Amino acid sequence: MVEKILRKGEVARHLGAIQGALFVVHDGWLIERIIHHDGEELIVSILGRGEAGGLPEMVLATAAERETMAGTDSVVISVPWRAILEISSQWPGYWRRISEEL
């Protein structure tokens, strides 16, 4: 796991990127948005403390449809997908316990 500090407006995940890690907001908040080809933007969600992003792109290995940027100075924890696979293979019931918590 890696802790990353993002300044307000800094991009955590670029539009069109393939996500190699799950990121969890530790402090601050992030904005997930879609930018239309004509320049208009649509805010899809706001991620606060404890919320995660990047999972659909990580699981499906597809390019991100959203751009995620810091709404304020923020800290995120980045967990590489390989680490998540190792954790889940070592502890049976890991995903069930995660889904119960969510």
Side-chain angles (χ1 to χ4, degrees), residues 3-15 23 25 27-33 35 47 66-76:
E3 182 179 277
K4 295 182 179 181
I5 298 172
L6 301 173
R7 300 293 172 214
K8 181 178 180 177
E10 190 174 349
V11 176
R13 176 180 54 178
H14 294 277
L15 183 67
F23 61 87
V25 180
D27 191 28
W29 52 277
L30 306 179
I31 299 168
E32 287 192 313
R33 64 185 185 165
I35 302 173
L47 302 174
R66 301 173 182 181
E67 179 178 74
T68 307
M69 61 184 285
T72 186
D73 289 352
S74 303
V75 177
V76 297

Side-chain angles (χ1 to χ4, degrees):
M1 292 188 285
V2 177
E3 182 179 277
K4 295 182 179 181
I5 298 172
L6 301 173
R7 300 293 172 214
K8 181 178 180 177
E10 190 174 349
V11 176
R13 176 180 54 178
H14 294 277
L15 183 67
I18 295 179
Q19 192 70 15
L22 175 72
F23 61 87
V24 179
V25 180
H26 178 68
D27 191 28
W29 52 277
L30 306 179
I31 299 168
E32 287 192 313
R33 64 185 185 165
I34 296 174
I35 302 173
H36 194 268
H37 64 82
D38 65 3
E40 290 186 40
E41 75 174 277
L42 170 66
I43 295 176
V44 178
S45 64
I46 296 176
L47 302 174
R49 184 177 173 90
E51 294 183 299
L55 189 59
E57 293 82 15
M58 186 178 71
V59 170
L60 301 174
T62 60
E65 295 179 1
R66 301 173 182 181
E67 179 178 74
T68 307
M69 61 184 285
T72 186
D73 289 352
S74 303
V75 177
V76 297
I77 307 296
S78 177
V79 185
W81 67 269
R82 290 184 194 274
I84 293 172
L85 292 176
E86 288 173 12
I87 290 169
S88 64
S89 68
Q90 292 175 4
W91 290 310
Y94 173 78
W95 291 112
R96 179 184 50 77
R97 290 175 59 198
I98 294 293
S99 65
E100 288 171 357
E101 289 296 321
L102 294 174

